[in-house]
Amino acid sequence: ISINQIEETNRLCNRKFMLSVVVEHIFLLVLVTLISVLQNAFFATKVEREGKEHHANTSAFERVSCANRNCMDSYPTFLAVLWCAGLCLNQAPAAFAGLVYLVARQKYFVGYMGQTSQSTPGYVFGKRVLSFLFLMCIVGIFNLLLVRYFGNDFKDTVETITTAASALLLIP
Amino acid sequence: ISINQIEETNRLCNRKFMLSVVVEHIFLLVLVTLISVLQNAFFATKVEREGKEHHANTSAFERVSCANRNCMDSYPTFLAVLWCAGLCLNQAPAAFAGLVYLVARQKYFVGYMGQTSQSTPGYVFGKRVLSFLFLMCIVGIFNLLLVRYFGNDFKDTVETITTAASALLLIP
Amino acid sequence: ISINQIEETNRLCNRKFMLSVVVEHIFLLVLVTLISVLQNAFFATKVEREGKEHHANTSAFERVSCANRNCMDSYPTFLAVLWCAGLCLNQAPAAFAGLVYLVARQKYFVGYMGQTSQSTPGYVFGKRVLSFLFLMCIVGIFNLLLVRYFGNDFKDTVETITTAASALLLIP
């Protein structure tokens, strides 16, 4: 066995290990994303059924369709903030905040179907959760710059604080 | 040359290697994403041309615009599921399923332009492909948890099965 | 201290290092994403305020709402191209191009609020920036394939050229 072969084996071994590390640090985010996809499918089914039953253009269809569009408008923003917060700081509080957002969205959609006149975009709900995730991103980047230029790693402290702070999101 | 210098060189070398590993494991997903972006541009051009030719509010413009909106509504969901499936399990079957989805979307858009009354959201097409990608994600996460707590790595077996299963998507 | 323990420490050390490398190579992309999220929130607030003040269905509300929808329609496409370009080649020129796109979008939105009749989708603005990011992705993937099969690494040269080329985006 030459040194080249050992080096090659070592590299391949690292490659597998590296990927499993990456997946391990995002799997909670993937789970929340999957739940949000299921919710999207639920919303779409509601719109579809309402459209077929009432032959469109009735007020019930209009409302469901509008609620769906509001939810879909803010969906890319939500995904972007969720993943950035999870990658920059820690996936656990980010995933928890994502779950809270999904519950708020569900409440919004169900509440919208019963009401009459609303046409504001979907940022009416979940503003607090999105701000929390946004703050997490900024803290994460700030921490990275600190580590790079001063060598102090506050990440562990910050992660503990954010995990504790995410529990505050449950307060209505 | 001090040991610190060797270590530094080694780290830099690893850094480059690490990134190339990451890119190598997503480049098929990037390709499919690029194709979907081209398709989006094609759809937008169609809507733009129709809007200019027929001075808006005609039924032809309405239809193209509606088809475009339906496609755009499900686009973030598609991207999320595609990337999650590719990252958690294997990029090859995920990218293939993504291609099948894009073909279905193209068919849907072209078919919509010729028809008259449809207003259901864009989940009418590609439901099977999205479910397949969704299943891939769940299997990937389940496999990760198994590896973590029991130490059995079924990933290779699962990857072979999904690659074979993705061929089934071609059956109409 | 047994060899197992040393190996375990070494692995944990690498794990932290690996993640910091990943975050370091995307933090500019995260920053641009955060700015785009802020802009989305600004657009949504505008639509919300206009909707409340003018009791909806006025032409001013229609225009703001339409501008917002056009921006939101192209948002996932923008995010996808931005991140692909940043991951495949280099984050600095990608983030710069993203900033130019956000400025173009701001101009479009503000200009739209003052005008009267437009209903084309949001690809009217930022076409050049999106094409630039698209080209970056293709060059990045092409370079990866070259490295894999021929062993020539043009990445450094290409990165310098793209960084210089991104300055050309400032020319109106």
Side-chain angles (χ1 to χ4, degrees), chain A residues 13-14 17-18 21-22 24-25 69 73-74 76-77 80-81 84 87-88 119-121 123-124 127 133-134 137-138 140-141 144-145 148 153 155-156, chain C residues 11 14-16 18-20 22-24 26-27 30-31 33-35 37-38 40-41 44-45 47-48 51-52 56 61 68-69 72 75-76 79 83:
Chain A
C13 175
N14 278 339
F17 174 62
M18 253 181 242
V21 166
V22 169
E24 213 170 275
H25 276 81
R69 201 178 310 138
D73 265 11
S74 59
T77 312
V81 182
C84 285
L87 286 176
C88 286
S119 55
T120 51
Y123 290 93
V124 192
K127 266 179 192 166
L133 287 171
F134 193 86
C137 294
I138 288 178
I141 289 178
L144 179 86
L145 294 178
R148 212 174 174 183
D153 199 347
K155 210 182 170 188
D156 292 329
Chain C
R11 279 202 160 196
N14 277 339
R15 181 174 296 207
K16 268 213 163 174
M18 251 179 244
L19 286 170
S20 80
V22 169
V23 171
E24 214 169 274
I26 58 169
F27 89 95
V30 171
L31 267 183
T33 309
L34 289 184
I35 296 171
V37 166
L38 272 188
N40 285 348
T45 324
V47 177
E48 213 179 323
K52 271 184 191 156
F61 174 74
N68 181 51
R69 201 178 313 139
M72 284 302 117
Y75 187 60
L79 276 188
W83 279 82

Side-chain angles (χ1 to χ4, degrees), chain C residues 12-148:
Chain C
L12 274 172
C13 176
N14 277 339
R15 181 174 296 207
K16 268 213 163 174
F17 174 63
M18 251 179 244
L19 286 170
S20 80
V21 166
V22 169
V23 171
E24 214 169 274
H25 277 81
I26 58 169
F27 89 95
L28 282 179
L29 299 175
V30 171
L31 267 183
V32 172
T33 309
L34 289 184
I35 296 171
S36 76
V37 166
L38 272 188
Q39 209 181 27
N40 285 348
F42 166 74
F43 291 169
T45 324
K46 278 277 174 198
V47 177
E48 213 179 323
R49 193 176 299 160
E50 201 72 35
K52 271 184 191 156
E53 274 177 18
H54 298 82
H55 306 288
N57 289 329
T58 60
S59 85
F61 174 74
E62 286 263 303
R63 253 181 292 131
V64 177
S65 171
C66 184
N68 181 51
R69 201 178 313 139
N70 285 352
C71 287
M72 284 302 117
D73 264 10
S74 60
Y75 187 60
T77 312
F78 163 65
L79 276 188
V81 183
L82 172 74
W83 279 82
C84 285
L87 288 176
C88 286
L89 206 55
N90 192 359
Q91 63 167 347
F96 180 74
L99 272 183
V100 173
Y101 178 83
L102 292 182
V103 170
R105 196 164 76 147
Q106 185 74 26
K107 266 189 192 168
Y108 170 79
F109 189 81
V110 173
Y112 209 107
M113 291 200 296
Q115 283 182 27
T116 38
S117 62
Q118 258 182 304
S119 55
T120 50
Y123 290 92
V124 193
F125 62 97
K127 265 179 194 167
R128 203 172 35 162
V129 183
L130 290 179
S131 317
F132 175 75
L133 288 170
F134 193 87
L135 270 181
M136 267 185 74
C137 295
I138 288 177
V139 168
I141 289 177
F142 196 68
N143 182 58
L144 179 86
L145 294 177
L146 273 184
V147 174
R148 213 173 173 183

Side-chain angles (χ1 to χ4, degrees), chain B residues 20-39:
Chain B
S20 79
V21 166
V22 169
V23 171
E24 213 170 276
H25 276 81
I26 58 170
F27 87 94
L28 282 179
L29 299 176
V30 170
L31 267 182
V32 172
T33 309
L34 290 184
I35 296 171
S36 76
V37 166
L38 272 187
Q39 209 180 25

Side-chain angles (χ1 to χ4, degrees), chain A residues 22-37 79 82-83 91 95, chain B residues 80-81 83-85 87-88 133-134 136-138 140-141:
Chain A
V22 169
V23 171
E24 213 170 275
H25 276 81
I26 59 169
F27 88 95
L28 282 179
L29 300 176
V30 171
L31 268 183
V32 172
T33 309
L34 289 184
I35 296 172
S36 76
V37 166
L79 275 188
L82 173 74
W83 279 83
Q91 64 167 347
Chain B
V81 182
W83 279 83
C84 285
L87 287 176
C88 287
L133 288 171
F134 193 87
M136 268 185 73
C137 294
I138 287 177
I141 289 178

